[in-house]
């Protein structure tokens, strides 16, 4: 989701005490190391976006990364979608999520599910992937587990998904 990416880049700059222009002027390897996790397990987005630099603003970085995704092949877009972890899925339980996803899922309470809730998430994750071919994707940073379960049950509006649905 574009606003999510912009916010994450901003937070990253503040946490690292690096300005947008300093971030935008980094060499390719450093740029990818700092921003490669913004699109779930898809550092190729930052890698390709770097060619549009140097950048002088977060908005310019965001636009370059969004353009990379927009210009990606359909197969690359599907790989990007499929790179997202299940919400409260096996990767989360095993501690194998990216730092960004771990933090988001924890803020939403997905790290403290009851067994019944975990069973519901597992069942819904599988049903969704079977139907669409990629995981249910929802920006959960400001959600709660009950709102996520509600969206899951109705398969709600998934903003990222809507850009790629056939």
């Amino acid at each position: 989701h574009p606003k999510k990416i912009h916010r994450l880049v901003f937070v990253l700059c503040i946490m690292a005490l690096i300005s947008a222009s300093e971030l935008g002027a980094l060499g390719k390897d450093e740029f990818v190391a700092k921003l490669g996790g913004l699109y779930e397990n898809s550092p190729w987005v930052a890698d390709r976006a770097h060619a549009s630099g140097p950048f002088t603003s977060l908005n310019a970085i965001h636009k370059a990364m969004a353009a990379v995704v927009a210009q990606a092949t359909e197969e690359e877009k599907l790989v990007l979608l499929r790179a997202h972890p299940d919400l409260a899925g096996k990767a989360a339980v095993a501690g194998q999520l990216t730092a960004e996803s771990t933090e988001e899922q924890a803020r939403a309470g997905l790290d403290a599910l009851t067994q019944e809730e975990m069973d519901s998430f597992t069942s819904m994750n599988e049903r969704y992937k079977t139907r669409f071919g990629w995981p249910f994707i929802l920006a959960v940073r400001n959600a709660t587990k009950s709102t996520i379960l509600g969206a899951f049950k109705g398969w709600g509006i998934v903003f990222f998904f809507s850009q790629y649905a056939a």
Side-chain angles (χ1 to χ4, degrees):
H1 192 271
K3 288 182 181 179
K4 175 183 169 186
I5 300 302
H6 187 84
R7 182 176 55 246
L8 284 172
V9 172
F10 176 75
V11 168
L12 199 128
C13 289
I14 297 301
M15 289 174 59
L17 299 175
I18 186 171
S19 71
S21 59
E22 289 172 323
L23 182 63
L26 290 174
K28 187 176 189 177
D29 291 343
E30 290 176 290
F31 186 84
V32 172
K34 292 210 181 288
L35 301 181
L38 293 180
Y39 282 83
E40 196 72 43
N41 294 312
S42 301
W44 60 269
V45 176
D47 183 74
R48 291 183 195 170
H50 183 267
S52 298
F55 305 102
T56 58
S57 70
L58 295 177
N59 192 45
I61 295 169
H62 165 256
K63 284 183 177 183
M65 293 182 85
V68 166
V69 174
Q71 295 165 5
T73 66
E74 290 303 309
E75 183 59 33
E76 289 170 324
K77 290 175 184 176
L78 286 173
V79 169
L80 175 62
L81 289 171
R82 291 177 181 137
H84 283 74
D86 289 346
L87 294 172
K90 293 175 188 172
V93 173
Q96 298 172 339
L97 297 178
T98 63
E100 294 85 0
S101 287
T102 299
E103 189 268 334
E104 282 189 359
Q105 290 199 25
R107 281 184 64 176
L110 300 185
D111 61 340
L113 297 175
T114 66
Q115 187 59 52
E116 182 180 338
E117 291 167 330
M118 180 60 82
D119 292 344
S120 291
F121 270 94
T122 300
S123 172
M124 288 184 278
N125 279 322
E126 290 307 315
R127 285 189 5 234
Y128 193 91
K129 282 193 297 191
T130 298
R131 170 126 190 228
F132 295 105
W134 55 78
F136 182 79
I137 300 169
L138 182 70
V140 299
R141 179 173 292 273
N142 295 313
T144 65
K145 60 185 175 182
S146 63
T147 59
I148 297 165
L149 279 169
F152 233 142
K153 288 177 181 174
W155 288 357
I157 297 172
V158 180
F159 301 106
F160 196 75
F161 163 82
S162 67
Q163 297 177 37
Y164 303 106

